[in-house]
Amino acid sequence: MIEKTILVIEDNEMNMKLMRAVMAMGKFRMLEASNADTGIRLAREHRPDLILMDIQLPDMDGLSAARIIKENPLLREIPIIAVSGYAMHSDREKALEAGCIGYITKPFNVKELIQIIRECVYTNTVQQ
Ligand code: MN
């Protein structure tokens, strides 16, 4: 299988560590950003196959960052999955409105997340 690149935008070091483990297990290439600004820059520079976007980031919220990416014609095809620390129906709605393809809540199941990422990058569908 062709190696896929996943951009993880996450400001919490513990969560980033967990994401590193997920990416290693799933054999994905991982790009890391700890704030939205860096994340958007890395998206422009590398055009990853998928973005996992934390909703709460230090410089702007992840959904605003998702909108900026979706407004860029060169980047709008990149699927974005929002990652949230709290599960509220309205957040899921907001994530989908912002152009995200899916929405997952922390703490997530590692195997399930790998499966979701695989579905997303290899078949372009995600059931979330
Ligand atoms: Mn956060």
Side-chain angles (χ1 to χ4, degrees), residues 66-85:
R67 280 191 206 95
I68 290 170
I69 290 166
K70 290 295 165 183
E71 280 165 10
N72 184 330
L74 298 174
L75 304 179
R76 70 162 54 115
E77 300 300 319
I78 302 170
I80 302 174
I81 295 178
V83 183
S84 174

Side-chain angles (χ1 to χ4, degrees), residues 9-12 15 34 54-58 83 85 106:
I9 307 177
E10 168 64 74
D11 64 318
N12 180 287
N15 290 330
S34 58
D54 181 25
I55 289 191
Q56 291 179 297
L57 292 165
V83 183
K106 293 179 267 198

Side-chain angles (χ1 to χ4, degrees), residues 37-93:
D37 223 44
T38 307
I40 293 164
R41 181 174 55 77
L42 289 178
R44 283 202 202 100
E45 288 173 6
H46 297 273
R47 309 261 200 99
D49 296 291
L50 172 69
I51 298 171
L52 294 179
M53 178 80 78
D54 181 25
I55 289 191
Q56 291 179 297
L57 292 165
D59 49 344
M60 74 174 84
D61 73 275
L63 296 186
S64 299
R67 280 191 206 95
I68 290 170
I69 290 166
K70 290 295 165 183
E71 280 165 10
N72 184 330
L74 298 174
L75 304 179
R76 70 162 54 115
E77 300 300 319
I78 302 170
I80 302 174
I81 295 178
V83 183
S84 174
Y86 41 88
M88 284 174 67
H89 182 67
S90 60
D91 287 331
R92 182 186 297 268
E93 297 294 304

